[in-house]
């Protein structure tokens, strides 16, 4: 990353707003106004360009000093019998401070994208997987199978950067790469090759996806399938796909868990992951879960190394107590089990806390609008714009350094949560 | 503030001190001379106690991607060892894949004051250091993994000169904040991506035509010529494969006398004799180590029970995945850089193979003559969690105890080993060499692992108990940089250790090749790949200690 001081043009800026964490953005900063000049997309533009509006903390809608807000939040936490620290859309040090505070205040931790993330985490904890990372995909993929996901909506530059890049390190002809959508039909043309080759689409409803995946895996295991079709898909078409997976030298099977929005989608993810493992008996194949938005990979990583467990861990007994069902904080809030909610959402003004009866403290990005004004609102800086930070990418391997692009004076989540912890 | 530690029996092999009663003075975190004016602020009576430098674990998987995968995937293993918060300590969990906080506390409670992560992937260095940053009390550092990264293999396939390879190695060490270089299944992780399932020492990578032997030679030479004190740290070919001892000996003897460290040698010392086609190669391995003075080893002792194996060697971890217990495992290809495999495992004393693995490790310990060239590890957590070190020390120091345990193991395995006939018992002095003086010298820590004036006041004090497991489990005192952190085996202070690195010189011209390489093939820019010194300091708790290079080290 280099800074051209006169023009305030920043190059090689990493985006914390999308899980693939592209770090080739050029950004212009004039005062507090940020503009993505190069390599932007709908998600990074919204992420970087959302203007600052309110900078003052509020208690019940009334402007107060930061110290007063912190003191009030501390009081709420001190008197809480069942606190929750959730949202957790923050960077490395924000997540660290949330963990320290949860430990001290005996809170339950959760992330706003846990519902999706746990469709993968439960599989990791039950049977595991064989996965790959973005640079391997960029250089090696010969067959990409997209399961049940319209990935360009959430990851607009995925195909440009990982599939239709200019060249592979290993001399592979890029145009020879093949893309197959199994389940959802893509909403745009990102998956179309530079010379116009369209992805193959094998469409079915979400509700049929579990069965379709089961049949595909069974075919790969050499089982005989009695039915002619499954979920409206001819079995012969799945048999052809199975054959292509076996012939491919480095197939990649990808999915975005947030788009597998049906009950017990984790079982389908598990079937995909076991299928990939089985393919590796003869050839190479890898899974690639796409996620990592709003700091969800970062939150789960930090929680795993500090507590041993991912999100949905409860500290009320003084030690980490992990339960992905009981400590689902959306459920806890809906069932009125929570008296105090600390909601951290420093990336996206639209990620506000779910409605609840709990006393609510929001550490939010400036400009957040609420249907129900929280008891305390503290506008915080956005990592990678207002302060430095680090964020993990979707693959849980690579993390990017985030730079301070402007001097807005907004405090970081780390500063606010650390101050609450100290005064608790 | 001057503290006097009075009258302890001191074991300080770096200065040849073997159980001599002497006083030690501490000021500002360092060991100092006796004050000329005789003024002492605090005196601690250590008469009758055993005094050593703080112990150093030179190979322990405490931070980085694969360790965190292990943590995330093992909630059931943590559940039996959750750790409650106290006034002093954060909550966490222990056993096979402990939380970073608990790991730091427990190392300190055992008298350890430093631990080194042996497998930092360059692309994952940032995470490894984040985790070590959250590991309290102990000093830390790590060895950066090269040898399956495409950049090196491309250089080798293009027959680049040694100087440019040295340059790349130095650049990578600097920007991943490392103190050593590790190679894991040399070239094998890369070959697995091309669907090769094994890669012997002279077997060629399908794409690059490069062999593991070439890679070892180039990297060992680079490390040596750069003046990096820690020799190339080698996890060899064919880990866990019966009959691998031939390759292991060939690896050690084929390096032409260059300094080389063979890690978890136990897993590489297997023959194929007997009904089970699995036998001990410890005698041949030990003989080769004894003969080749350029070689150092750590053992990677296995101990019985549940653990998890976490390795960069995804080729061998994939092969071992059918043995996972519980039945779940992860393998990953990573960023044209490396890979990893995480396979939970339970070593069983009534399994012929596991029992013999236990014996092979101990045979190597007892048959290698020079304690300066062999180090005490379980390859935490791969052979066993680090918390089993006191038990392992007792096995080494107490022949009766060792043979009592031996007699309970798989009977056929007992017949396949000469362990019962080995008389050797390690002395306290030898334990102090293996876990302190020798380890510091091997890692390249100038100011640690000894009790001489000027050294860091990392000091552990034990009661000389005949039960060595008891003795080494609960030190009377542990001092970290002069602060008493443990008293009577209990933590009383939480401090934050430093990160040890080396910074070999490199020629910036290497970036002319690296920058376009990152731009064309990678998904991260070169500038964002580099870890700055500030990232080690981080929120202010961290610090960087740059250790000296060997004299004459240069590009």
């Amino acid at each position: 990353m280099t800074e051209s001081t006169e023009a305030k043009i920043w190059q090689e800026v990493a985006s914390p707003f999308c899980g693939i964490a592209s770090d080739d953005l050029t950004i212009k900063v004039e005062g507090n106004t940020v503009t993505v000049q190069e390599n932007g997309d709908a998600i990074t533009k919204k992420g970087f360009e959302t203007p600052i509006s309110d900078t003052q903390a509020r208690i019940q809608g009334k402007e107060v000093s930061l110290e007063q807000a912190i003191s009030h939040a501390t009081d709420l936490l001190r008197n809480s019998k069942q606190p929750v620290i959730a949202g957790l859309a923050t960077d490395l040090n924000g997540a660290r401070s949330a963990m320290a505070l949860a430990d001290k205040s005996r809170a339950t931790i959760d992330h706003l994208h846990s519902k999706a993330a746990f469709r993968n985490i439960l599989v990791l904890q039950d049977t595991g997987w064989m996965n790959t990372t973005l640079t391997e995909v960029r250089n090696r993929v010969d067959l990409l199978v997209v399961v049940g996901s319209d990935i360009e909506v959430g990851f607009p530059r995925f195909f440009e950067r990982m599939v239709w890049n200019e060249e592979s390190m290993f001399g592979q002809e890029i145009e020879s790469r093949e893309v197959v959508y199994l389940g959802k039909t893509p909403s745009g043309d990102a998956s179309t090759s530079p010379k116009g080759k369209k992805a193959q689409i094998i469409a079915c409803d979400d509700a049929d996806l579990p069965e379709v995946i089961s049949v595909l895996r069974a075919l790969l295991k050499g089982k005989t399938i009695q039915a002619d079709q499954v979920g409206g898909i001819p079995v012969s078409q799945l048999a052809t796909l199975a054959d292509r997976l076996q012939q491919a030298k480095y197939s990649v099977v990808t999915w975005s868990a947030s788009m597998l929005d049906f009950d017990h989608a984790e079982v389908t993810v598990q079937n995909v992951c076991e299928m990939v493992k089985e393919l590796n008996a003869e050839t190479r194949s890898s899974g690639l879960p796409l996620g990592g938005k709003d700091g969800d990979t970062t939150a789960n990583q930090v929680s795993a190394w500090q507590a041993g467990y991912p999100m949905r861990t409860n500290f009320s007994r003084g030690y980490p107590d992990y339960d992905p069902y009981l400590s689902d904080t959306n459920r806890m809030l809906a069932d009125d089990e929570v008296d105090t909610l600390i909601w951290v959402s420093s990336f996206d003004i639209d990620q506000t806390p779910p409605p609840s009866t709990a006393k609510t403290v929001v550490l939010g990005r400036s400009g957040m609008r609420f249907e129900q004004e929280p008891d305390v609102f503290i506008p915080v800086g956005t990592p990678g714009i207002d302060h430095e930070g680090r964020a993990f990418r979707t693959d849980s391997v690579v993390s990017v350094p985030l730079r301070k692009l402007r001097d807005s004076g907004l405090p970081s989540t780390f500063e606010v949560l650390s101050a609450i912890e100290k005064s608790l | 503030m001057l503290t006097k530690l009075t009258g302890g029996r001191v074991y300080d092999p770096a200065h040849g001190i073997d159980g001599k009663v002497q006083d030690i003075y501490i000021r500002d975190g360092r060991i100092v001379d006796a004050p000329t004016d005789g003024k002492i602020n605090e005196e601690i009576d250590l008469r009758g106690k055993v005094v050593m430098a703080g112990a150093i674990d030179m190979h322990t998987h405490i931070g980085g991607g694969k360790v965190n995968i292990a943590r995330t995937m093992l909630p059931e293993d943590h559940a039996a060892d959750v750790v409650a918060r106290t006034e002093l300590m954060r909550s966490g969990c222990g056993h096979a894949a402990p939380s970073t906080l608990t790991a730091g506390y427990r190392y300190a409670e055992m008298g350890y004051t430093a631990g080194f992560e042996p497998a930092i992937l360059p692309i994952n260095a940032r995470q490894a250091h984040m985790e070590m940053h959250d590991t309290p009390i102990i000093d830390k550092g790590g060895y950066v993994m090269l040898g399956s990264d495409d950049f090196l293999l491309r250089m080798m396939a293009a027959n680049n000169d040694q100087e440019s390879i040295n340059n790349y190695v130095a650049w990578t060490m600097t920007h991943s904040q490392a103190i050593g270089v590790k190679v894991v299944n040399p070239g094998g992780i890369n070959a697995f991506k091309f669907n090769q399932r094994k890669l012997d020492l002279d077997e060629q990578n399908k794409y690059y035509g490069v062999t593991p032997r070439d890679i070892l030679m180039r990297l060992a030479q680079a490390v040596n010529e750069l003046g990096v004190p820690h020799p190339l740290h080698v996890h060899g070919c064919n880990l866990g494969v019966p009959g691998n001892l031939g390759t292991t000996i060939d690896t050690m003897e084929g390096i032409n006398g260059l300094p080389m460290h063979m890690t978890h040698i136990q897993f590489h010392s297997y023959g194929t004799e007997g009904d089970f086609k699995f036998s001990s190669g410890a005698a041949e391995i030990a003989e080769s180590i004894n003969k080749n003075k350029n070689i150092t080893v750590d053992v990677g002792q296995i101990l019985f029970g549940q653990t998890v194996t976490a390795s960069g060697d995804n080729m061998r971890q994939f092969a071992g995945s059918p043995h996972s217990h519980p039945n779940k495992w992860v393998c990953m290809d990573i960023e044209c850089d490396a890979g990893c495999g995480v396979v939970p495992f339970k070593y069983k004393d009534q399994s012929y193979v596991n029992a013999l693995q236990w014996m092979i490790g101990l045979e190597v310990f007892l048959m290698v003559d020079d304690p300066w060239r062999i180090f005490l590890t379980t390859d935490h957590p791969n052979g066993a969690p680090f918390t089993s070190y006191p038990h392992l020390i007792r096995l080494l120091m107490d022949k009766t105890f060792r043979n009592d345990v031996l007699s309970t193991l798989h009977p056929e395995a007992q017949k396949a080993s000469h362990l019962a006939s080995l008389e050797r018992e390690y002395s306290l002095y030898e334990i102090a060499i293996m876990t302190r003086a020798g380890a510091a010298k091997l890692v390249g820590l100038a100011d640690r692992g000894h009790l001489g004036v000027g050294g860091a006041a990392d000091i552990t004090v034990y009661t000389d108990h005949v039960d060595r497991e008891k003795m080494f489990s609960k030190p009377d005192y542990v001092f970290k940089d002069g602060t008493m952190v443990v008293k009577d085996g209990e933590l009383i202070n939480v401090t934050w250790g430093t990160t040890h690195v080396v910074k070999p010189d490199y020629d910036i011209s290497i970036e002319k090749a690296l920058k376009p390489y990152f731009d064309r093939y990678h998904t991260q820019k070169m500038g964002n790949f580099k870890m700055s010194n500030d990232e080690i300091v981080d929120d202010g708790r961290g610090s960087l200690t740059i250790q000296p290079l060997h004299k004459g080290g240069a590009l």
Side-chain angles (χ1 to χ4, degrees):
Chain A
M1 168 112 123
T2 49
E3 184 189 3
S4 164
T5 46
E6 284 160 9
K8 283 204 165 177
I9 302 287
W10 296 76
Q11 260 139 17
E12 297 190 1
V13 176
S15 163
F17 301 105
C18 138
I20 64 174
S22 305
D23 68 344
D24 59 350
L25 278 65
T26 302
I27 302 254
K28 185 171 85 176
V29 181
E30 293 167 295
N32 278 342
T33 306
V34 178
T35 317
V36 182
Q37 287 201 315
E38 281 172 38
N39 297 324
D41 56 44
I43 287 174
T44 47
K45 273 182 192 293
K46 181 188 173 195
F48 280 103
E49 296 178 359
T50 298
I52 290 181
S53 52
D54 40 0
T55 55
Q56 195 73 33
R58 301 193 295 267
I59 296 177
Q60 269 124 21
K62 222 179 106 192
E63 289 196 348
V64 295
S65 70
L66 179 61
E67 291 68 31
Q68 285 170 310
I70 286 171
S71 161
H72 193 74
T74 307
D75 286 342
L76 290 176
L77 213 44
R78 190 178 289 126
N79 295 315
S80 170
K81 291 197 171 67
Q82 180 86 291
V84 160
I85 304 176
L88 289 188
T90 181
D91 64 341
L92 167 71
N93 282 342
R96 280 172 165 159
S97 60
M99 290 299 295
L101 182 60
D103 193 17
K104 191 167 182 182
S105 64
R106 301 193 165 210
T108 301
I109 50 164
D110 206 355
H111 189 275
L112 60 91
H113 292 313
S114 280
K115 190 178 175 196
F118 270 84
R119 293 176 184 137
N120 295 331
I121 293 169
L122 292 176
V123 176
L124 173 63
Q125 294 179 335
D126 194 43
T127 43
W129 53 45
M130 274 184 94
N131 282 351
T132 191
T133 65
L134 299 177
T135 297
E136 296 288 0
V137 179
R138 182 176 165 102
N139 290 287
R140 293 180 191 274
V141 65
D142 54 0
L143 171 62
L144 179 77
V145 178
V146 183
V147 175
S149 310
D150 179 11
I151 51 183
E152 67 199 78
V153 174
F155 308 90
R157 296 183 67 207
F158 175 80
F159 284 96
E160 170 213 325
R161 285 173 62 79
M162 262 61 76
V163 183
W164 304 125
N165 39 296
E166 273 175 32
E167 57 181 327
S168 148
M169 205 190 300
F170 309 108
Q172 186 193 19
E173 198 194 316
I174 297 296
E175 191 65 26
S176 71
R177 292 179 169 176
E178 296 183 342
V179 180
V180 177
Y181 275 82
L182 186 58
K184 288 191 186 67
T185 300
S187 55
D189 289 326
S191 60
T192 302
S193 79
K195 289 192 179 158
K197 184 172 72 179
K198 296 250 184 214
Q200 185 195 356
I201 295 158
I202 307 175
C204 71
D205 291 341
D206 276 359
D208 292 325
L209 201 55
E211 204 179 348
V212 169
I213 293 294
S214 296
V215 169
L216 178 63
R217 183 179 171 203
L219 287 164
L220 279 163
K221 291 182 83 156
K223 308 268 187 203
T224 309
I225 304 297
Q226 302 295 341
D228 294 333
Q229 58 170 31
V230 52
I233 299 169
V235 169
S236 60
Q237 202 175 3
L238 291 177
T240 307
L241 177 59
D243 190 47
R244 287 164 76 189
L245 281 164
Q246 277 164 331
Q247 298 306 317
K249 291 195 164 65
Y250 201 94
S251 60
V252 173
V253 184
T254 189
W255 65 94
S256 174
S258 65
M259 294 193 175
L260 302 179
D261 201 12
F262 47 88
D263 283 348
H264 294 293
E266 71 276 8
V267 181
T268 296
V269 173
Q270 184 166 43
N271 240 342
V272 168
C273 291
E274 290 299 292
M275 177 184 84
V276 167
K277 282 182 180 176
E278 287 154 8
L279 274 165
N280 279 282
E282 297 294 334
T283 185
R284 290 306 319 274
S285 179
S286 293
L288 181 75
L290 289 174
K293 299 182 84 151
D294 294 302
D296 83 334
T297 313
T298 306
N300 279 298
Q301 288 272 49
V302 174
S303 176
W305 80 61
Q306 288 204 355
Y309 303 97
M311 294 288 97
R312 299 189 171 173
T313 294
N314 174 332
F315 292 89
S316 68
R317 293 198 264 191
Y319 54 79
D321 193 355
Y322 167 65
D323 194 313
Y325 301 101
L326 284 179
S327 296
D328 168 353
T329 55
N330 286 320
R331 187 204 62 75
M332 291 172 73
L333 288 161
D335 290 353
D336 287 340
E337 290 176 10
V338 183
D339 57 9
T340 303
L341 169 66
I342 311 272
W343 181 261
V344 178
S345 180
S346 65
F347 291 116
D348 184 353
I349 55 170
D350 295 326
Q351 295 287 4
T352 52
S356 78
T357 55
K359 297 275 186 195
T360 301
V361 178
V362 174
L363 277 65
R365 183 163 182 173
S366 169
M368 223 169 228
R369 293 286 165 266
F370 302 96
E371 278 178 30
Q372 182 187 349
E373 173 73 17
D375 295 83
V376 180
F377 174 64
I378 302 175
V380 290
T382 299
I385 301 178
D386 298 304
H387 61 82
E388 291 188 347
R390 279 154 289 175
F392 279 92
R393 243 169 41 176
T394 177
D395 50 33
S396 301
V397 171
V398 178
S399 50
V400 287
L402 305 173
R403 299 289 190 254
K404 179 177 174 173
L405 305 179
R406 68 181 173 201
D407 201 1
S408 65
L410 288 165
S412 67
T413 297
F414 172 79
E415 287 163 347
V416 175
L417 292 184
S418 298
I420 295 175
E421 189 215 336
K422 278 198 189 75
S423 53
L424 196 65
Chain B
M1 174 76 184
L2 192 103
T3 305
K4 181 184 181 189
L5 308 181
T6 306
R9 198 145 48 79
V10 173
Y11 293 84
D12 183 16
H15 298 98
I17 297 168
D18 182 6
K20 189 176 145 202
V21 172
Q22 62 181 51
D23 303 332
I24 293 171
Y25 300 89
I26 306 172
R27 191 203 304 271
D28 299 331
R30 294 271 152 182
I31 295 170
V32 294
D33 280 317
T36 46
D37 60 4
K39 266 194 186 164
I40 306 287
N41 301 87
E42 183 191 19
E43 182 173 7
I44 299 170
D45 183 359
L46 299 186
R47 280 173 297 179
K49 303 290 181 189
V50 169
V51 182
M52 296 183 184
I56 297 163
D57 193 346
M58 47 66 63
H59 185 112
T60 173
H61 296 280
I62 52 171
K66 62 189 174 305
V67 184
N68 222 30
I69 291 169
R71 292 187 190 103
T72 308
M73 78 191 285
L74 293 172
E76 70 282 356
D77 189 67
H78 309 324
D81 191 11
V82 286
V83 180
R85 181 189 174 86
T86 68
E87 282 289 305
L88 195 62
M89 287 184 273
R90 290 273 300 274
S91 68
C93 67
H95 201 246
S99 61
T100 54
L101 294 141
T102 305
Y105 305 143
R106 288 196 171 163
Y107 259 120
E109 284 170 347
M110 267 179 10
Y112 274 72
T113 51
F116 291 84
E117 164 57 52
I120 295 184
L121 280 51
I123 202 76
N124 186 243
R126 187 166 276 123
Q127 178 180 358
H129 287 291
M130 288 172 189
E131 294 185 26
M132 290 194 280
H133 183 81
D134 286 351
T135 305
I137 305 175
I138 59 170
D139 289 355
K140 48 254 170 176
Y143 317 135
V144 69
M145 243 171 84
L146 291 171
S148 277
D149 53 310
D150 286 285
F151 193 81
L152 177 76
L153 298 179
R154 286 159 64 92
M155 286 177 105
M156 289 180 59
N159 220 357
N160 283 17
D161 59 20
Q162 184 64 33
E163 190 181 324
S164 55
I165 287 179
N166 295 358
N167 219 354
Y168 170 60
V169 170
W171 183 90
T172 306
M173 292 188 79
T174 299
H175 296 297
S176 54
Q177 305 286 358
I179 197 165
V181 178
K182 166 93 171 288
V183 57
V184 172
N185 186 353
I189 304 164
N190 186 286
F192 186 48
K193 296 171 189 176
F194 292 104
N195 204 26
Q196 286 175 274
R197 301 303 170 115
K198 69 172 199 36
L199 199 69
D200 220 326
L201 195 55
D202 293 308
E203 213 168 328
Q204 288 190 347
N205 177 299
K206 238 165 39 180
Y207 183 78
Y208 291 107
V210 168
T211 68
R213 191 188 295 277
D214 300 336
I215 296 168
L216 289 169
M217 191 57 81
R218 291 289 207 132
L219 288 175
Q221 212 173 327
V223 168
N224 190 46
E225 289 178 10
L226 290 168
V228 173
H230 186 53
L232 180 65
H233 194 106
V234 178
H235 157 148
C237 312
N238 300 334
L239 180 142
V241 178
N244 61 12
L245 87 143
T247 303
T248 306
I249 290 171
D250 198 359
T251 304
M252 295 194 286
E253 299 187 348
I255 202 71
N256 293 347
L258 285 168
M260 184 167 71
H261 179 82
M262 298 291 288
T263 191
H264 41 67
I265 191 98
Q266 177 275 129
F267 290 108
H268 302 267
S269 305
Y270 303 150
T272 51
E273 286 162 28
D275 293 343
F276 292 85
K277 304 282 176 232
F278 181 75
S279 58
S280 171
E284 293 97 315
I285 292 285
E287 190 191 343
S288 175
I289 297 166
N290 288 337
K291 199 170 66 190
N292 293 285
K293 311 290 182 201
N294 56 315
I295 300 295
T296 53
V297 301
D298 67 88
V299 172
Q301 178 67 34
I302 70 116
L303 295 162
F304 302 112
Q306 176 69 49
T307 192
V308 57
T309 64
S311 170
D313 191 347
N314 58 358
M315 177 190 266
R316 292 301 313 149
Q317 289 292 78
F318 177 74
S321 62
H323 304 294
S324 61
H325 182 287
N327 182 14
K328 52 182 169 181
W329 51 274
V330 165
C331 278
M332 286 186 75
D333 295 336
I334 296 177
E335 290 298 279
C336 296
D337 192 41
C340 79
V342 182
V343 182
F345 196 82
K346 189 171 186 178
Y347 294 101
K348 298 179 184 126
D349 58 2
Q350 298 313 311
S351 144
Y352 173 84
V353 170
N354 298 162
L356 202 57
Q357 286 180 300
W358 182 90
M359 296 172 205
I360 292 167
L362 292 175
E363 286 172 358
V364 173
F365 267 119
L366 298 170
M367 289 193 279
V368 169
D369 301 331
D370 181 0
W372 290 91
R373 293 199 290 120
I374 186 166
F375 301 92
L376 186 143
T377 65
T378 56
D379 187 19
H380 163 83
N382 294 336
F386 70 78
T387 41
S388 54
Y389 286 168
H391 175 77
L392 176 53
I393 291 172
R394 186 174 181 200
L395 288 170
L396 297 177
M397 295 189 75
D398 183 341
K399 180 181 172 251
T400 309
F401 175 67
R402 181 166 69 228
N403 285 344
D404 286 350
V405 177
L406 177 62
S407 68
T408 66
L409 306 183
H410 191 288
E412 292 302 314
Q414 288 184 52
K415 287 184 211 155
S417 164
H418 301 295
L419 182 61
S421 67
L422 295 175
E423 297 292 328
R424 184 169 174 194
E425 292 181 329
Y426 269 81
S427 68
L428 284 174
Y429 189 68
E430 287 174 318
I431 294 291
I433 294 170
M434 263 207 293
T435 57
R436 276 80 173 170
K441 184 175 166 217
L442 179 78
V443 177
L445 307 173
D447 58 343
R448 310 274 157 175
H450 69 85
L451 296 171
V453 167
D458 293 353
I459 303 169
T460 303
V461 179
Y462 303 100
T463 298
D464 190 358
H465 203 288
V466 64
D467 179 344
R468 298 306 189 188
E469 184 168 348
K470 216 170 243 176
M471 170 174 173
F472 283 95
S473 299
K474 268 189 172 253
D476 295 79
Y477 303 103
V478 180
F479 297 87
K480 181 73 188 79
D481 296 305
T483 301
M484 193 192 287
V485 290
V486 172
K487 191 178 179 189
D488 301 327
E490 306 286 333
L491 208 74
I492 57 163
N493 268 305
V494 174
T495 61
W496 295 90
T498 191
T499 299
H500 295 281
V501 298
V502 290
K503 295 279 179 183
D505 282 337
Y506 66 86
D507 185 336
I508 194 78
S509 67
I510 185 73
E511 295 195 351
K512 282 197 189 125
L514 277 162
K515 190 172 183 316
Y517 172 79
F518 272 88
D519 287 344
R520 286 165 71 182
Y521 303 125
H522 264 265
T523 51
Q524 182 170 41
K525 294 289 184 187
M526 184 186 78
N528 289 325
F529 162 86
K530 294 181 182 177
M531 258 200 88
S532 68
N533 292 351
D534 287 348
E535 288 188 62
I536 296 289
V537 177
D538 205 325
D539 57 10
R541 254 179 9 218
S543 65
L544 200 65
T545 300
I546 300 172
Q547 291 291 345
L549 295 166
H550 278 164
K551 283 212 177 72
L555 278 171

